[in-house]
Amino acid sequence: MQKLVQSLKQAVVQAQQTGIFVSTTLPEIVVEHPQNPEHGDYASNLPLKLSRATGIAPLVIAQRLVELMPSMAEVDEVTVAPPGFINFTLRNDWLTEQVELIISKGASYSDINLGKGKRTQLEFVSVNPTGPLHIGHGRGAVIGSTLAKVLVAAGYSVAREYYINDTGSQINAFKRSLYARYQQCLGTAVELPTNGYFGNYLVDLAKEIFREQGDRFIKLPEEEAIQKLGEIGLNRIMEGIKRDLKLLDVNFDVWFSEQSLYRHGQYEKAMALLRDKGYITKKENAVWFVSTALGEDKDNVLVRSDGSPTYFASDIAYHYNKFLERQFDKVINIWGADHQGHVSRMRAVVSALGIDPERLKVIICQLVTLRRGEEIIRVSKRSGDLITLRELMDEVNPDICRFFFLSRSADSQMDFDLELAKKQSVDNPVYYVQYAHARIASILRLAREREINYEQGDVSLLTSEPELTLIRKMVLLPEIVETVANTLEPHHLPYYAQDLATVFHSFYKQCRVISEDKALTRARLKLVRAAQIVLSKTLHLMGMTAPEQM
RNA sequence: GUCCCUGUAGCUCAGUUGGACAGAGCGGCUGCCUUCUAAGCAGCAUGUCGCGCGUUCGAGUCGCGCCAGGGACGCCA
């Protein structure tokens, strides 16, 4: 695709130099896949764009450009189509050579060097350790972990990070709630704090700790007991979160503690920097960040009148650490819809710290509404009335969860219908895709049993329409990787996976692989092996398994 | 009141950054298993792309204004 762009560019420049049409600023050259296969593999609307600037009829421009374009090994036919498109068709022998290429690259096929090793930090999930993960968190977790895999494939160096909010008022409320539940275990009638956590998981947690450690915390001074018990509780919750993430195949390189920002001085340094630059003011007994100086609606509190720093202040220190200490080229944060208001604030801070805000990307994941058929299940952590990610995975396997979460763009709210997810366990796009892989594995198994060596298979025998259609789809994966890495939208992957499975199933029906024709068998086995590589790579990028049999 | 996201087939959603006749899965209806997995294949039906203006050779896509749903506007995180 890049080659086509280059070659078109060359043709335009030459046309301008030879005076066929006047020099104009070059419009962005777009090469895309036409919807209609009759229009070739690639198409460009460049003549239409140039027509406006030059006043020459698009078809004339198209014809001239085609004449001026250097011929390319990949391209068979270049045609001009009204109202002014240039269509390109790939050569069959170039396509079949790709089969060899894919086999020789193996699992590294579709790895590209878009990122050029740029250091990228990807922060996601980062749920407060005050309760178990619920379904909405699963969405961010799956999107984030998939993005990490794709960015790595696209040549970025990626650090996956979970920011643990292990200090602040919510944590305090958690500790006090746990202490109250613990006292209740001993039969003391105490109320939970009004801003406390009412979920049943805290009752269970208190009982668990009581079972293991007895009543020893009750004998401590209250404040000490709250802190000690609280630390144990936080660790337990965190362990649970890590377990759940692991089940979903979500892994992290760094678990970053909010507390550490205060112990290691980032907080002080970040505040000093902002103060030096004049972005900090004191009013009403509190310390404020002057967001309004950067075009925001209102200023934001950094240090409360009681002297405690806000979450916002912590996050500033954290981003100071990300950009100025650890020197990441690019920082991506995946946040829930409830953090939407936080985005422009953080942008303002980043530029206040003297960093190009373009280096900070924030992906906002819209809410997940959980349903069982008609019944809508409200997700509220405080009341404890929630469906945990764990419960979801007890009912629906991780591959289905991942595929389902990935299939919708982060921008749109999604319904997760538990009933449907379970009912569709058979008629399910996940199985449709995995089944294609299992079929391939089955063919290759049979080839092994019959000891068919296809290393010397001649791919030029692959000339039929189903074979070429399959290859055409296979060679798109590198472009998909590029698109996902550029747009940070992993939802293109499941759609590609389905398309690929479709063309494979269709090929499978029409083309018998292992047959009497020895030469064709060897060629098709190569094709099937390459298809397996591409399909399995696609599944792995999504964090899904590629089953050998089903 | 201000800001953000969404509105496309009966349902759930894509639509490659403005292109060629608007797509997929599920659901519905027809056919297809003596040969590598029928969790499959081939085909049929279904649309005022929320509404209205505008920009453009060309709009589901861009701009403005409405309507509807969700979210955010804390010295919570």
Side-chain angles (χ1 to χ4, degrees), chain A residues 94 97-113 153 474-475 477-478 526 529-534 536-537:
Chain A
W94 182 81
E97 280 162 25
Q98 299 311 299
V99 171
E100 301 280 14
L101 179 84
I102 291 165
I103 291 174
S104 71
K105 294 224 169 171
S108 71
Y109 177 69
S110 83
D111 287 355
I112 56 176
N113 193 19
M474 285 158 49
V475 301
L477 184 57
K526 267 194 173 168
R529 170 66 189 132
Q532 182 184 40
I533 289 169
V534 178
S536 123
K537 175 84 175 198

Side-chain angles (χ1 to χ4, degrees), chain A residues 349-369:
Chain A
V349 163
V350 164
S351 61
L353 290 171
I355 299 150
D356 177 6
E358 280 304 299
R359 286 163 61 195
L360 174 68
K361 302 275 182 206
V362 181
I363 298 170
I364 293 291
C365 270
Q366 294 300 320
L367 294 187
V368 179
T369 311

Side-chain angles (χ1 to χ4, degrees), chain A residues 418-459:
Chain A
L418 272 176
E419 220 164 73
L420 208 65
K422 280 193 290 178
K423 198 181 78 189
Q424 287 186 350
S425 61
V426 178
D427 288 320
N428 196 305
V430 179
Y431 292 137
Y432 180 82
V433 174
Q434 291 183 324
Y435 185 57
H437 189 272
R439 272 182 151 176
I440 292 172
S442 163
I443 296 170
L444 296 176
R445 259 197 311 276
L446 184 68
R448 265 198 305 279
E449 278 167 28
R450 299 198 183 163
E451 297 178 344
I452 303 170
N453 184 339
Y454 55 90
E455 255 174 56
Q456 301 304 318
D458 176 7
V459 290

Side-chain angles (χ1 to χ4, degrees), chain A residues 331-346:
Chain A
V331 168
I332 304 169
N333 296 333
I334 301 182
W335 292 340
D338 55 343
H339 278 60
Q340 170 256 113
H342 196 55
V343 178
S344 62
R345 265 204 299 279
M346 273 324 292

Side-chain angles (χ1 to χ4, degrees), chain A residues 41 71-79 87-94 472:
Chain A
D41 294 302
S71 70
M72 284 179 286
E74 297 90 340
V75 177
D76 184 14
E77 220 185 357
V78 184
T79 55
N87 296 332
F88 306 93
T89 307
L90 293 169
R91 290 178 69 98
N92 286 355
D93 52 4
W94 182 81
R472 285 195 153 85

